[in-house]
Amino acid sequence: GHDTLEDSVAFYSLDMNRGMHERMRIESGLRHALGNGELLLHYQPKFQIDGGRIIGAEALVRWRHPERGLIPPGDFIPLAETTGLIVQVGEWVLEAACAQAAVWQRAGMPPLRIAINVSAREFTAALPGRLAATLARYELAPVWLELEITESALMHDIERVIDIMDQINALGVTLSLDDFGTGYSSLSYLKRFPIHTLKIDRSFTTGLPSDASDCAIATTIISIGQQLRHKVIAEGVETVEQLEFLRQSGCDEVQGYLFSRPLPPFEFETALRENWLL
Ligand code: C2E
Ligand code: CA
Ligand code: CA
Ligand code: CA
């Protein structure tokens, strides 16, 4: 224990130091990973709630660390966001997702929307140009690409944000509002955002259908989506009861462990083939 203030201050700064060293270690490791082919994408299918067809997938980044094995994004994305390294990670993700989608496009698959997660720091005036250049380089039809953006990315300069969104839409790339309801977006902004889909966060899906607040929140998001003519997708669907509640509430699409975990590309292709036979 810490008997004096001095002790606890010494303890605290030692601890902070350790935290800082750990962060620096992860940061330099991630820099290395970017150049060294240690990042990869898994694809979690998204399903139409009626009929159960796979209509797209969310690309989720993983880090295959030579010693520590497969590291989930929660262990390095937040750090990458604070250090700014997220920009390079985001560039890698866009590149890798488009390369993969182009392979599927060439194989003659019906178009799937492959969604990538875009952090606030990536949502800049440079983004539309980068998207256009990457689509062109892979000769990828823009319908293959979707961006998931969180409300926090959009709260700063609304006019600027809408301008960037318009440019992205003009390319034919769709936008989805991720983790909807967990941030601070005001409904008057929501009305103005040229987006395609609202995504109900897993924190709300979890309590369906027993938690009255989660039910109220989910049905409200679905109703707002319908009024604004957006699609609504629920993430984190794990049970048949959740699925049934969402279906009865008019949700359009679902994603979650009930159907599939995020999959490596080859396993995703297998899941697609099985889904098409349905
Ligand atoms: P998110 O965008 O909310 O993604 C959904 C997360 O929930 C994913 O975790 C997914 O694997 C997980 N998930 C999906 N279905 C279920 C379910 O039924 N039950 C449970 N318990 N979990 C489910 P993951 O892959 O660990 O990603 C975590 C977060 O990391 C993502 O949250 C996203 O914010 C971030 N992230 C992942 N990839 C990227 C990326 O390429 N760029 C950026 N900027 N962020 C990323
Ligand atoms: Ca997401
Ligand atoms: Ca979420
Ligand atoms: Ca998210």
Side-chain angles (χ1 to χ4, degrees), residues 52-253:
R53 293 229 153 237
I54 294 178
I55 39 93
E58 179 175 6
L60 293 153
V61 71
R62 277 93 182 85
W63 175 5
R64 193 188 305 286
H65 193 280
E67 285 119 43
R68 295 165 63 193
L70 209 60
I71 306 179
D75 290 1
F76 62 92
I77 290 289
L79 178 87
E81 281 172 341
T82 59
T83 60
L85 208 53
I86 191 65
V87 173
Q88 282 98 297
V89 172
E91 284 171 6
W92 182 88
V93 168
L94 173 65
E95 199 72 26
C98 287
Q100 180 62 73
V103 168
W104 288 332
Q105 177 183 250
R106 272 199 303 279
M109 288 191 188
L112 297 164
R113 276 186 283 125
I114 305 299
I116 59 172
N117 289 281
V118 174
S119 293
R121 287 179 76 148
E122 303 172 68
F123 203 81
T124 65
L127 184 60
R130 188 185 313 133
L131 294 174
T134 311
L135 290 169
R137 191 147 25 79
Y138 288 102
E139 299 181 56
L140 182 65
V143 291
W144 281 84
L145 189 62
E146 178 177 33
L147 307 185
E148 294 191 8
I149 46 186
T150 56
E151 296 161 60
S152 57
L154 310 177
M155 286 306 101
H156 303 298
D157 180 347
I158 289 297
E159 300 306 325
R160 194 182 125 269
V161 159
I162 290 174
D163 181 48
I164 296 171
M165 289 177 134
D166 283 337
Q167 292 180 51
I168 293 171
N169 275 311
L171 296 172
V173 172
T174 47
L175 294 165
S176 168
L177 203 46
D178 204 359
D179 299 341
F180 185 67
T182 63
Y184 303 94
S185 63
S186 108
L187 296 178
S188 65
Y189 291 161
L190 182 64
K191 186 179 77 173
R192 300 187 52 204
F193 288 145
I195 55 165
H196 186 258
T197 305
L198 289 181
K199 192 165 200 179
I200 301 175
D201 189 59
R202 177 161 65 85
S203 61
F204 304 127
T205 307
T206 305
L208 306 178
S210 54
D211 184 284
S213 315
D214 286 346
C215 291
I217 291 166
T219 51
T220 301
I221 293 174
I222 292 165
S223 152
I224 290 171
Q226 287 170 342
Q227 305 283 323
L228 297 179
R229 306 202 191 303
H230 300 324
K231 294 259 179 252
V232 179
I233 182 166
E235 70 172 9
V237 179
E238 295 183 348
T239 70
V240 178
E241 291 74 21
Q242 291 167 350
L243 174 63
E244 270 323 302
F245 182 90
L246 290 161
R247 192 199 304 284
Q248 276 158 29
S249 308
C251 190
D252 301 292
E253 298 165 8

